[in-house]
Amino acid sequence: MALVELTRQPGRIAVRLGPTSAIIRPRMLGVCLGLLLASALLFAVELSFGDYPIPLPDVVQALFGVGDRATLFVIEELRLPRALVGLLAGCAFGVSGALFQTLTRNPLASPDMIGLSAGSATAVVAGIVLGFGSGLGTQALGLLGGIATAVLIYGLAWKGGTTGYRIVLVGIGVSWMCTSLTSYLLVKADMWQAQQVLRWIIGSLNGADWVHVTPLAWATVTLGIAVLLLSRWLRLLQLGTDVATALGVPVRFAQPALIVTAAALVSFATAATGPIVFVALTAPQIAQRLTGSAWPPLVASGLTGSFLVLGSDLIAQRVIPGTLLPIGVVTGALGGLFLLWLLTRANRVGSGG
């Protein structure tokens, strides 16, 4: 008997090694590898371009600490933190959006659409304007704001259980409440505070530093592991809470755990970059179409989010010479077009309501 057994099935390969088995999907694997390479290329280009251009070979050497003092300073102190924050935040937005769209079974359900990004933003703006954020920092405020908003949405949507429809409707209402509160805080702020908040609230990588990289990196890795551990329940929850319960899923624990994990991901990312709109909405949908999956794939969604944020940041730095646009301006323009296409397609196939 062979130690390794391979069984080919349409669109996938079943691998069995003794008592252990796994399913390999060649298309999924190929898309993930392609997105990884594309994101790595954009990452290198991000480090190369600027007022002080650096050739790509020198960029690679500088990442290993080799090069002249000026090149090492520009890469390590000025450009690398910005690129890392974009890479990590994009991944967090993409995975969080995939979790919410899968849980609600709604392609329009994303953290920026149902209020989590708005809740994080409100907490950070309140800390800046009211003065209590100096001790906690934007990372802690964003996390507390996002998780508190997620708990509020889940509690208001609970009625002997939750449905994706109720979560989306309640989330939209909470989002507008948070947006109104943020607007009030902006009116209350002085001129300097308002300028500081406005630059951040649009979504920007300008001013990203190592102080933003470290907590975001730890959060992305830790919460990413939690997502992978919870993903087995996620697949069964797609069948509905009744079926999932019958199959042994602890729904009352699994749903809140997945929602809190997704909220924590988007909260850390929002605290580092501001609420970069539409990445969490578009990345899972693009990944789903690239892989041909029935639902947004988590890993591919994270890689797509990184690709979108890095690509949008390059456009933001180059579209107007001499001006560093906030990245949220670019993602808002491109994401708005994608949202119109998604709504048009939904209506065409009869699922648009």
Side-chain angles (χ1 to χ4, degrees):
M1 183 177 178
L3 293 178
V4 179
E5 297 181 13
L6 299 177
T7 305
R8 294 185 178 275
Q9 302 173 359
R12 60 183 184 174
I13 300 174
V15 181
R16 180 177 295 276
L17 178 60
T20 305
S21 62
I23 299 294
I24 299 176
R25 293 178 172 83
R27 180 174 175 178
M28 178 83 70
L29 183 61
V31 168
C32 288
L33 288 175
L35 288 169
L36 182 62
L37 292 174
S39 298
L41 178 60
L42 283 179
F43 185 82
V45 172
E46 176 106 345
L47 298 178
S48 175
F49 281 178
D51 295 334
Y52 181 74
I54 301 173
L56 286 178
D58 292 347
V59 168
V60 176
Q61 290 182 353
L63 291 175
F64 291 96
V66 179
D68 60 81
R69 184 175 299 178
T71 299
L72 291 177
F73 174 78
V74 170
I75 294 294
E76 295 176 356
E77 299 300 326
L78 302 181
R79 296 181 187 172
L80 187 57
R82 180 190 186 103
L84 285 174
V85 168
L87 185 78
L88 294 169
C91 182
F93 282 127
V95 173
S96 180
L99 285 172
F100 275 106
Q101 290 178 10
T102 303
L103 279 171
T104 60
R105 288 175 286 179
N106 190 327
L108 299 180
S110 67
D112 45 357
M113 297 292 286
I114 65 174
L116 297 190
S117 296
S120 293
T122 300
V124 174
V125 172
I128 294 174
V129 174
L130 301 180
F132 60 81
S134 56
L136 291 174
T138 57
Q139 299 284 347
L141 286 172
L143 177 63
L144 292 174
I147 292 180
T149 306
V151 171
L152 176 63
I153 293 171
Y154 189 81
L156 292 175
W158 180 268
K159 187 178 180 182
T162 60
T163 64
Y165 180 75
R166 283 206 300 271
I167 288 176
V168 171
L169 286 181
V170 171
I172 291 173
V174 171
S175 176
W176 281 107
M177 291 171 59
C178 292
T179 301
S180 298
L181 181 55
T182 301
S183 300
Y184 168 75
L185 290 170
L186 282 173
V187 173
K188 184 178 177 65
D190 58 40
M191 185 66 69
W192 182 84
Q193 289 175 331
Q195 289 177 346
Q196 182 185 6
V197 167
L198 281 174
R199 282 196 302 267
W200 178 85
I201 206 170
I202 297 174
S204 175
L205 297 181
N206 300 337
D209 204 347
W210 286 108
V211 70
H212 301 106
V213 174
T214 303
L216 182 56
W218 279 108
T220 304
V221 172
T222 304
L223 295 170
I225 294 173
V227 167
L228 293 177
L229 294 175
L230 294 170
S231 61
R232 59 190 180 92
W233 288 339
L234 184 65
R235 299 189 191 99
L236 296 177
L237 285 170
Q238 294 168 353
L239 304 175
T241 55
D242 293 336
V243 175
T245 302
L247 294 174
V249 177
V251 174
R252 292 197 175 187
F253 170 77
Q255 273 191 337
L258 285 164
I259 288 175
V260 168
T261 303
L265 275 170
V266 75
S267 298
F268 273 106
T270 300
T273 66
I276 301 178
V277 295
F278 286 123
V279 175
L281 173 71
T282 58
Q285 291 301 306
I286 293 173
Q288 182 177 353
R289 283 157 177 77
L290 289 175
T291 58
S293 303
W295 59 85
L298 296 175
V299 176
S301 296
L303 292 172
T304 304
S306 296
F307 178 82
L308 290 176
V309 170
L310 290 174
S312 298
D313 189 41
L314 283 172
I315 295 173
Q317 294 182 60
R318 292 287 170 264
V319 66
I320 300 178
T323 302
L324 287 177
L325 286 178
I327 187 175
V329 174
V330 178
T331 60
L334 299 179
L337 294 175
F338 184 86
L339 178 61
L340 290 175
W341 174 83
L342 196 63
L343 290 171
T344 303
R345 183 178 181 276
N347 284 326
R348 190 165 57 244
V349 299
S351 59

